[in-house]
Amino acid sequence: MAFDPADAIDRFHAAINALDFPEIERWFAEDATYVSNGVGSLAGRAEIMAAFRRYFDDYPDQTAENSLVETLTPLSGRAVWSVRATHSKTGKPLIREGEETITFNADGKVTRVDVTDYQEF
């Protein structure tokens, strides 16, 4: 069966929505890159996972929803999403909308995520 980036993105996002950190970590290639306003510009699976854990410590109630997931190339896809959460210490609500382009390697591991927020948050 051929690799389907859109399906992979759906499964990757399901792991994130479930806060399944071992599964999230399995998705990333060792040398992955992640660029987002939410977690910054990160290099390597260990740095990405540390930032994810910090982010979800701050926003443990995050709910995310995709309005579009599409394949761009045989090894990349794009998701358009919205996020709602509340900061665990301040109680301040977080509302984000944006998109991300996710690139995979031949093994189906995430090698790069580029997040674009539609507005500052």
Side-chain angles (χ1 to χ4, degrees):
M1 178 189 258
F3 180 74
D4 180 356
D7 177 63
I9 290 170
D10 281 335
R11 291 183 289 120
F12 173 58
H13 282 176
I16 294 170
N17 286 338
L19 298 182
D20 184 342
F21 291 107
E23 181 63 18
I24 296 167
E25 188 167 356
R26 280 189 285 276
W27 273 101
F28 284 106
E30 183 68 33
D31 60 349
T33 303
Y34 194 104
V35 181
S36 166
N37 288 354
V39 296
S41 182
L42 309 169
R45 181 172 49 216
E47 186 175 20
I48 292 167
M49 290 308 300
F52 265 61
R53 283 183 170 87
R54 285 190 305 271
Y55 178 86
F56 285 111
D57 280 346
D58 287 342
Y59 298 102
D61 69 341
Q62 175 176 297
T63 58
E65 184 176 297
N66 292 328
S67 59
L68 172 73
V69 178
E70 64 182 348
T71 294
L72 298 176
T73 71
L75 292 176
S76 70
R78 181 176 77 108
V80 177
W81 46 261
S82 62
V83 167
R84 304 289 183 268
T86 307
H87 195 282
S88 62
K89 294 171 187 66
T90 68
K92 182 179 177 185
L94 172 71
I95 299 172
R96 292 175 63 190
E97 293 180 335
E99 64 184 71
E100 60 189 25
T101 301
I102 301 175
T103 305
F104 301 89
N105 63 20
D107 296 324
K109 299 285 188 182
V110 173
T111 59
R112 184 170 182 92
V113 179
D114 289 291
V115 178
T116 301
D117 281 274
Y118 292 156
Q119 68 275 334
E120 283 196 34
F121 66 95

